[in-house]
Amino acid sequence: MIGMRAHDLEYGDIAVLSEKLAQFDKHTIQLALFKSVTNLGLKDGAFSPGLARKIKQALDKNNISISVLGCYINPVCPDKQERQIQVNRFKEHIKYAKFLGADMIGTETGSVNLDGSFHEKNRSEENYQDFLSVMRELAEYARDLGVCIGIEAVSIFTIHSPQTMKRMLDDLNMPNIFVIFDPVNYLDDSNYKNQREIFQTAFDLYGDRIAVVHLKDFTVENGALKYALPTEGELDYAFLVKLLNDKKPYIPLLLEEVKEKDLNRITERIKEVFGR
């Protein structure tokens, strides 16, 4: 199924957003509540089963499911007070995920820089252990409520490679932890020419734990990677399709960075590439 990040359609009213998603034949989404639902007064501590059901009813009306409930926090935020606010926010999403009918809650793995930029300490053992302690707390809380968590690697963050993702999965050793696989996120200016090897390694190490795929693309300008629309850059889609068809048929494919004006065109290209 080809879906998208709901906040790439800029409609803050959940009923209007749901109608627009259906018009574009997008029936599974990544829903970042604070980005996509701005008309219901959402804020930390405001959630309830009734509010969750109101959102779900609008989505159900158009047969839209939530593949990922986006709550992207910085688990290694150096400001401990801000970190706790974000951890509490994630727990609130966990608490109400089932009322929304979400498959899982997603996050990236953070940076010791407040602005989310790369810091050499992101790859330190100390930072990894700090991250692991936070994620274990969240994973156990989610497990107790029967909820799954999806972790997304990013080349500049704590979990930045297939090897660090595998280490995290092994160290947590919990069945409710899955992987949100964004192939471009594993690449940088030093390794993009080895993308096939990187992707194959990821699938060899934890292909069974990959639950959702993000689709965007990249170009290289003056030696630096820049995001591009799906199928319009240098990502090896032919190899990605082969991996997914062999290992994960029918996995949700979520378009990323695709705005309304490009959505029909990019969707048709993805359908051609993936044969869906």
Side-chain angles (χ1 to χ4, degrees):
M1 182 178 291
I2 302 170
M4 67 181 297
R5 298 189 313 186
H7 60 274
D8 285 328
L9 287 181
E10 298 174 358
Y11 297 94
D13 185 305
I14 187 62
V16 175
L17 174 62
S18 180
E19 294 286 347
K20 285 291 183 179
L21 287 164
Q23 288 175 22
F24 285 104
D25 195 28
K26 296 292 174 284
H27 293 284
T28 192
I29 58 173
Q30 178 162 317
L31 182 65
L33 289 169
F34 287 12
K35 293 180 179 180
S36 298
V37 186
T38 59
N39 69 316
L40 296 180
L42 288 177
K43 57 185 177 181
D44 291 340
F47 234 80
S48 67
L51 181 56
R53 287 193 201 97
K54 182 174 180 62
I55 294 170
K56 187 176 186 297
Q57 286 168 359
L59 297 174
D60 286 348
K61 183 178 179 181
N62 290 287
N63 192 30
I64 297 168
S65 64
I66 302 172
S67 290
V68 180
L69 181 61
C71 185
Y72 280 41
I73 64 171
N74 184 355
V76 295
C77 179
D79 181 331
K80 296 300 178 66
Q81 183 176 2
E82 174 59 27
R83 182 195 296 192
Q84 191 59 53
I85 289 171
Q86 294 186 34
V87 166
N88 291 343
R89 181 180 304 141
F90 200 91
K91 286 184 173 179
E92 187 173 23
H93 279 63
I94 291 171
K95 190 181 299 183
Y96 294 104
K98 285 195 168 184
F99 293 97
L100 287 161
D103 293 347
M104 70 183 64
I105 303 170
T107 185
E108 293 167 346
T109 61
S111 170
V112 299
N113 277 341
L114 282 171
D115 65 359
S117 59
F118 176 73
H119 193 290
E120 61 184 9
K121 288 184 179 179
N122 289 354
R123 299 190 176 182
S124 69
E125 182 65 20
E126 178 184 6
N127 183 60
Y128 174 77
Q129 293 298 332
D130 191 20
F131 163 76
L132 199 66
S133 66
V134 173
M135 191 49 58
R136 183 173 286 113
E137 175 187 348
L138 293 174
E140 290 175 352
Y141 187 82
R143 179 196 59 196
D144 291 345
L145 292 176
V147 174
C148 296
I149 294 176
I151 308 295
E152 183 175 352
V154 181
S155 63
I156 63 173
F157 285 171
T158 303
I159 303 301
H160 56 271
S161 66
Q163 291 78 12
T164 53
M165 179 66 80
K166 172 61 172 173
R167 182 186 180 191
M168 181 207 71
L169 292 170
D170 288 347
D171 286 346
L172 287 176
N173 191 28
M174 298 182 70
N176 62 323
I177 301 297
F178 291 90
V179 176
I180 299 170
F181 185 70
D182 185 325
V184 174
N185 281 359
Y186 289 85
L187 306 179
D188 58 32
D189 56 3
S190 70
N191 67 10
Y192 70 89
K193 292 182 180 179
N194 302 321
Q195 55 177 296
R196 285 194 174 194
E197 178 185 345
I198 293 167
F199 302 159
Q200 184 67 62
T201 298
F203 273 79
D204 288 346
L205 290 177
Y206 48 82
D208 60 321
R209 305 295 287 275
I210 296 173
V212 173
V213 175
H214 279 176
L215 294 181
K216 56 178 179 275
D217 213 321
F218 73 95
T219 58
V220 182
E221 298 181 20
N222 300 319
L225 265 67
K226 292 189 175 182
Y227 289 157
L229 293 176
T231 74
E232 296 190 350
E234 299 187 31
L235 184 67
D236 193 337
Y237 268 90
F239 188 71
L240 181 62
V241 168
K242 183 178 184 305
L243 282 174
L244 291 173
N245 285 346
D246 287 348
K247 305 287 188 179
K248 286 288 179 176
Y250 306 108
I251 194 170
L253 306 173
L254 301 182
L255 302 179
E256 187 170 324
E257 306 285 346
V258 183
K259 302 300 183 182
E260 187 168 348
K261 64 184 179 64
D262 299 306
L263 192 48
N264 283 332
R265 175 172 57 84
I266 296 300
T267 297
E268 289 307 310
R269 290 288 302 278
I270 291 295
K271 286 180 178 179
E272 292 174 9
V273 168
F274 283 88
R276 295 194 179 188

